[in-house]
Amino acid sequence: TGAAALRPQCRTSLAPRRDFLGAAAAAATTLLPQAAHATGKATQKTLFLRYEKRIAGLGSYFDELESAISNADWAAVATACEADTSKKGKIGPVYSGLTAMELWANTYSDRKQSVKTQRMLAEAEIVEKTREYVAGVACKGTGECLKAEGGFFGLGAKPAPKPSDGELKSAALGAVKQARGAFNRFVALNNEALPLDINGLVAIAE
C-alpha cells in the first residue's frame, strides 16, 4: 500500500462493484500503514512545486483512463496502473500521481502526523484501492489472469471463460468514478486553511 511497491493484482474472479464500493468506503477511515514521507511545513513551498504537477496530472489523466476502459483497451489500462518500483520496473501515471498525493499530504505534518494529513491520506488510499482494482479488471481483460479449469492433474484443463467486455468496463468505470470523488475530497482538504504562499489544487469533473 501507499508508496510501497505494488504490482497490478490479478484476481481469479471479478469482484462485484458493490464489494469495491464497500472497500473504498472503509478505506476512507483507514490510514496508510506505510505512507510515503515528505514531512516538514518549512519546506512546503519547494515541495509543492515538486508534487503539484504530478497530482494535477493524475486528475487530468482520469479522462484518458476512462477512454481506454470504454474502448476495452485492457493493455493500455494495465500499463496505466503499473506500480513496479523495482530497478527495471515500470510506473504508470496513476501510481505516479498517487505517490505525489501521499508525499504532499505528509507535508502538513512535522514530528506528529496531523489530522489534515490523516484525512488526506485516507482519500489517497481510495485512489490506491481503485488502482489495484482496475489493474485486476485489466488483467482479466487481457486474459493473463484467467486460470485453466477442469482436467485431471492439469491435463485437459480448459481456459476459464473471459468476462464480457461490457461487464469489465462497467466494473472499472464504476471504480474510477469513486477515485474521482476521492481526488476531489483530497483537493478540498488541501485547500482548507492553505498557507498564503501556496496555490490551491484544482478539482476535476466527477
Side-chain angles (χ1 to χ4, degrees):
T1 57
L6 286 168
R7 297 178 183 269
Q9 301 296 310
C10 293
R11 296 179 173 80
T12 56
S13 62
L14 181 64
R17 182 182 170 193
R18 63 176 178 273
D19 291 347
F20 170 81
L21 299 182
T29 59
T30 305
L31 303 183
L32 294 173
Q34 291 182 329
H37 290 283
T39 59
K41 296 181 181 180
T43 59
Q44 266 195 313
K45 186 175 181 178
T46 300
L47 292 172
F48 181 78
L49 297 175
R50 180 182 302 174
Y51 301 128
E52 186 273 337
K53 287 184 179 180
R54 283 166 55 191
I55 295 172
L58 173 60
S60 62
Y61 186 76
F62 283 129
D63 289 339
E64 187 174 336
L65 178 60
E66 288 177 333
S67 178
I69 293 170
S70 296
N71 291 326
D73 188 349
W74 302 119
V77 175
T79 297
C81 295
E82 285 183 317
D84 184 352
T85 57
S86 63
K87 187 175 182 179
K88 295 184 179 181
K90 295 181 179 179
I91 298 296
V94 177
Y95 188 72
S96 177
L98 167 68
T99 54
M101 289 173 68
E102 295 168 351
L103 289 162
W104 176 244
N106 274 297
T107 67
Y108 287 103
S109 296
D110 286 307
R111 294 183 179 179
K112 182 179 180 181
Q113 194 177 64
S114 68
V115 173
K116 181 167 184 171
T117 291
Q118 293 173 0
R119 294 174 67 191
M120 291 174 72
L121 288 176
E123 300 301 341
E125 173 70 351
I126 294 177
V127 177
E128 166 59 7
K129 293 293 185 183
T130 296
R131 187 199 66 75
E132 291 181 356
Y133 183 84
V134 173
V137 172
C139 197
K140 287 289 187 183
T142 61
E144 292 182 17
C145 292
L146 299 177
K147 294 184 177 181
E149 298 177 342
F152 183 73
F153 290 105
L155 299 176
K158 297 181 179 180
K162 177 183 176 243
S164 69
D165 281 336
E167 181 184 2
L168 295 172
K169 288 191 286 187
S170 177
L173 289 172
V176 175
K177 183 177 180 180
Q178 298 303 309
R180 283 182 176 272
F183 182 90
N184 280 343
R185 290 190 296 273
F186 180 96
V187 167
L189 288 165
N190 174 77
N191 294 348
E192 290 178 3
L194 197 65
L196 295 177
D197 60 344
I198 297 176
N199 295 327
L201 295 174
V202 180
I204 60 174
E206 293 186 45

